[in-house]
Amino acid sequence: MRYWIISFLFLFICLGTYAQKPVSVIITAGQSNTDGRVSNNDLPDYIKKNGYRHCLWSYGSDTISGGGRFERFWPRVAKPDDKERWGYDAVVYYLIDQHAKRDFYVIKESLGGTAIDTACVSTSGMYWNASPEYLAANAAADKGGKSLLKAFTENIGACIDNELSRHKGGFEIKAFLWHQGESDKKMATHYYDNLKAVVAYVRNYLVEKTGDRRYAHLPFICGTFSNQSRDRSEEIVRTLYRLAEEDPNFHVVDASDLTIQRDRLHFDAQGAELLGERVYKCLVQVAGEIK
């Protein structure tokens, strides 16, 4: 009897401790290799077998809004012809899920073929551009406008208001995951200023929304591109590493050796899996293991 009482008290204390800890949040954005272009038929066997126990996500793409709502995660994309697809981030969430002891949250905005620079071709004319002029002239993509950045941050805000702020222990956004840049190849010399502005905009938004100055230094983790990619730009790769040299909270994950599909653009199953593993390793190094 004494053993059971002690065990119950220990469990009660542990549950109380977790209830008071902030819940973890990952924010993710980018173009097609973030959105996901690998068939769910080719998900790693361990994901098919075990699934996701603790991952909840809010997903926005094109005119589709995350709406500040969360659902249990299973990889899909907003493509009416083939929704059952996944990207590297599905592996990141799975690896987090294996160590998590409670729910964690993902807020994602992704759309294939999208650029930051408005001088480049971008799907549906939608852009990640962070210039004050562009943002003032364009509404969020999911509200009839062309700004993916507004759609992303407005959904983050809605998720905070509707769900995350209600947790007793609060919430903590651990990192910003990003893979984008292929569509900016034409204006690669502008990518330094353009991406730096995107990162600053998201960080500043989080500081203003939450009042937490730590988000001014939110870890940003991005991947490079396969050497086989037809849209790999050495200028953009150099830009990523330059930003990492200047900003200790900007992290680059090498993807140069990863395999891609026959289209010579999108990671194949092996490439996406390996990129996910590398991004997860970087995430743990900079933000700690999510429990």
Side-chain angles (χ1 to χ4, degrees):
M1 176 65 73
R2 183 179 179 184
Y3 170 79
W4 288 109
I5 292 173
I6 293 173
S7 297
F8 176 79
L9 288 173
F10 178 76
L11 178 62
F12 181 80
I13 291 169
C14 288
L15 290 174
T17 299
Y18 273 104
Q20 296 304 317
K21 288 179 63 177
V23 295
S24 297
V25 184
I26 302 294
I27 60 174
T28 304
Q31 59 179 108
S32 56
N33 275 313
T34 294
D35 201 40
R37 291 296 181 266
V38 185
S39 169
N40 281 4
N41 293 329
D42 296 321
L43 275 165
D45 288 340
Y46 51 81
I47 294 182
K48 291 179 181 178
K49 178 181 177 181
N50 299 317
Y52 298 83
R53 300 169 298 165
H54 301 295
C55 184
L56 298 165
W57 76 328
S58 182
Y59 170 57
S61 180
D62 201 290
T63 59
I64 296 173
S65 175
R69 300 178 299 273
F70 288 96
E71 61 182 329
R72 190 65 57 183
F73 177 76
W74 186 255
R76 64 178 172 84
V77 299
K79 290 179 70 66
D81 58 326
D82 191 359
K83 297 180 180 179
E84 301 297 315
R85 300 191 193 186
W86 62 281
Y88 76 91
D89 60 315
V91 175
V92 178
Y93 311 147
Y94 177 82
L95 294 172
I96 295 172
D97 198 88
Q98 292 303 292
H99 296 91
K101 295 180 175 64
R102 58 180 180 155
D103 287 346
F104 67 96
Y105 296 82
V106 171
I107 305 170
K108 178 174 177 177
E109 186 78 31
S110 53
L111 180 60
T114 48
I116 303 177
D117 200 301
T118 56
C120 297
V121 175
S122 190
T123 301
S124 304
M126 295 178 180
Y127 290 88
W128 298 100
N129 194 282
S131 72
E133 296 79 13
Y134 182 82
L135 292 169
N138 289 276
D142 59 348
K143 295 180 175 63
K146 298 296 183 181
S147 175
L148 292 164
L149 199 54
K150 276 189 174 180
F152 184 37
T153 52
E154 287 178 8
N155 189 37
I156 292 171
C159 288
I160 290 172
D161 293 340
N162 295 344
E163 172 69 26
L164 300 176
S165 62
R166 299 184 179 184
H167 288 271
K168 288 184 178 180
F171 64 92
E172 181 180 359
I173 300 175
K174 294 288 189 176
F176 179 0
L177 310 185
W178 173 267
H179 193 283
Q180 190 274 339
E182 297 100 321
S183 293
D184 279 271
K185 183 178 180 180
K186 175 184 173 183
M187 302 301 292
T189 56
H190 294 179
Y191 200 69
Y192 172 84
D193 290 330
N194 285 336
L195 182 57
K196 187 174 183 178
V198 168
V199 176
Y201 182 85
V202 173
R203 286 172 171 169
N204 290 338
Y205 175 86
L206 293 174
V207 170
E208 292 176 6
K209 179 66 181 178
T210 66
D212 191 336
R213 291 294 309 168
R214 291 179 301 171
Y215 291 134
H217 308 287
L218 178 72
F220 177 90
I221 302 172
C222 64
T224 65
F225 318 97
S226 171
N227 283 334
Q228 303 172 45
S229 173
R230 57 184 163 87
D231 279 343
R232 177 185 172 95
S233 165
E234 295 304 324
E235 177 72 25
I236 287 179
V237 172
R238 285 193 295 270
T239 287
L240 297 179
Y241 284 106
R242 176 186 172 188
L243 288 166
E245 289 177 0
E246 297 174 357
D247 180 349
N249 298 297
F250 189 110
H251 306 275
V252 181
V253 175
D254 179 45
S256 62
D257 61 330
L258 299 186
T259 50
I260 57 176
Q261 299 180 36
R262 290 182 179 180
D263 61 9
R264 296 176 50 235
L265 178 61
H266 300 115
F267 295 114
D268 61 14
Q270 182 182 30
E273 181 181 12
L274 285 172
L275 180 56
E277 291 173 354
R278 292 175 187 179
V279 169
Y280 174 75
K281 181 179 180 180
C282 182
L283 174 64
V284 171
Q285 289 173 342
V286 303
E289 192 171 83
I290 296 174
K291 298 180 178 181

